Amino acid sequence: MNEPAVHALMDQETVRHRVASEKLPEWGIAHYENFRETVLGDRNGTPFPCYFGIDTERNGTALYTFCASLTDKDALFALGETIIEYLDIYEEYSERAPLTVFFKPSTRTATEADYHEALWHILQFLHIHDPEPWPTDIPTDPDTPHWEFCFGGEPMFPTSRAPFYEERMSRYCSVGLEVTFQPRGVFHGVTADTDAGQTARTVIQDRLEAYDGVCPHANLGDWGIEGDREWHQYLLPEDSEQAPPKCPLRVTREHPKSSVSIGQGQ
């Protein structure tokens, strides 16, 4: 918990300065360098599939943070505080400003099942200590088309990269778990019910197949579309036997759910 420059909301200029001056821990430097090289590079002669991600990294309009543990409660409280800070500013910061979280690698995460467990532990912790109630217009049952993870009163789409992928290299990160949080608002104008959204999905799907060298994952879908379930997409399974058969997140509208909420002291 005493590592330099972690648990803070940073813009790209700050991160790149701290990488260049080695004012981040080694794992943090490795994480960001891997992320930037992946997003701005290509594979099989194809650019990274998500061109929104390319644009935000190329133009310096994304935001970032580093979290020193997958499980330590102080680290996860700090992560929650950073996400709340991000939610307060992202709309004014840029048109599309995702938040990418780089987690310190752990020797306890070795298998795909370990990474699924780690991700859902983090999301469950955030939910239990959420300072805001679950939005009234979002169902609490993950097995519905309009469900998605919410925090700080905001519906959001977290997508992850991890070291266990062998085929889907667009989801591969050699360092450790990486999660990008995108509030529903950043998808304004490019949702599945718009022409721009349909065009974006066609381009991304085509790039995915060329980049990964395999067909796009069967679990990829669109929020609100009957038959699609968003939670599957947060950490796409490579081995279905290691992935949870149902959403592990236990969601309740009860608020507060804990005597200590994020941002209110521990």
Side-chain angles (χ1 to χ4, degrees), residues 162-185:
F164 65 80
Y165 291 101
E166 295 181 359
E167 287 189 332
R168 301 186 185 280
M169 300 305 289
S170 57
R171 295 284 182 138
Y172 174 71
C173 172
S174 62
V175 183
L177 184 66
E178 167 197 306
V179 183
T180 296
F181 290 89
Q182 298 180 85
R184 180 58 48 190

Side-chain angles (χ1 to χ4, degrees), residues 120 127 130 133-151 153-156 184 223-226 228-231 234 247 249-254 257:
W120 291 107
H127 177 59
D130 194 341
W134 190 264
T136 57
D137 58 337
I138 301 296
T140 58
D141 182 2
D143 193 25
T144 54
H146 285 94
W147 182 89
E148 62 185 334
F149 179 71
C150 300
F151 181 72
E154 290 270 1
M156 57 178 68
R184 180 58 48 190
W223 181 74
I225 301 300
E226 190 61 43
D228 290 348
R229 297 293 183 264
E230 182 166 288
W231 71 269
Y234 294 174
C247 182
L249 194 70
R250 299 181 301 279
V251 179
T252 175
R253 294 193 189 278
E254 178 186 349
K257 290 175 281 296

Side-chain angles (χ1 to χ4, degrees), residues 63-266:
L63 293 162
Y64 318 84
T65 193
F66 298 80
C67 186
S69 176
L70 296 164
T71 57
D72 180 83
K73 67 179 182 63
D74 291 333
L76 297 183
F77 269 115
L79 171 62
E81 291 172 354
T82 301
I83 296 175
I84 292 296
E85 182 183 357
Y86 161 77
L87 291 174
D88 285 342
I89 70 166
Y90 82 91
E91 290 180 296
E92 297 180 358
Y93 184 73
S94 70
E95 181 180 8
R96 289 190 177 88
L99 171 65
T100 298
V101 184
F102 304 107
F103 289 89
K104 182 178 181 178
S106 169
T107 55
R108 297 180 181 179
T109 46
T111 67
E112 176 175 346
D114 292 336
Y115 281 97
H116 286 290
E117 182 178 355
L119 174 67
W120 291 107
H121 170 76
I122 292 162
L123 297 182
Q124 188 71 58
F125 185 97
L126 293 173
H127 177 59
I128 289 172
H129 299 285
D130 194 341
E132 300 293 335
W134 190 264
T136 57
D137 58 337
I138 301 296
T140 58
D141 182 2
D143 193 25
T144 54
H146 285 94
W147 182 89
E148 62 185 334
F149 179 71
C150 300
F151 181 72
E154 290 270 1
M156 57 178 68
F157 182 50
T159 55
S160 307
R161 298 198 311 140
F164 65 80
Y165 291 101
E166 295 181 359
E167 287 189 332
R168 301 186 185 280
M169 300 305 289
S170 57
R171 295 284 182 138
Y172 174 71
C173 172
S174 62
V175 183
L177 184 66
E178 167 197 306
V179 183
T180 296
F181 290 89
Q182 298 180 85
R184 180 58 48 190
V186 306
F187 297 104
H188 180 71
V190 290
T191 49
D193 57 349
T194 66
D195 290 341
Q198 289 297 325
T199 298
R201 280 152 182 74
T202 298
V203 171
I204 290 171
Q205 294 271 332
D206 289 345
R207 285 187 179 183
L208 264 175
E209 187 163 2
Y211 189 95
D212 287 343
V214 294
C215 292
H217 201 289
N219 286 349
L220 290 174
D222 293 306
W223 181 74
I225 301 300
E226 190 61 43
D228 290 348
R229 297 293 183 264
E230 182 166 288
W231 71 269
H232 288 291
Q233 302 175 63
Y234 294 174
L235 184 62
L236 286 174
E238 186 146 277
D239 178 359
S240 60
E241 293 186 359
Q242 296 195 57
K246 62 180 182 179
C247 182
L249 194 70
R250 299 181 301 279
V251 179
T252 175
R253 294 193 189 278
E254 178 186 349
H255 184 78
K257 290 175 281 296
S258 169
S259 60
V260 180
S261 294
I262 287 166
Q264 296 179 352
Q266 300 168 42

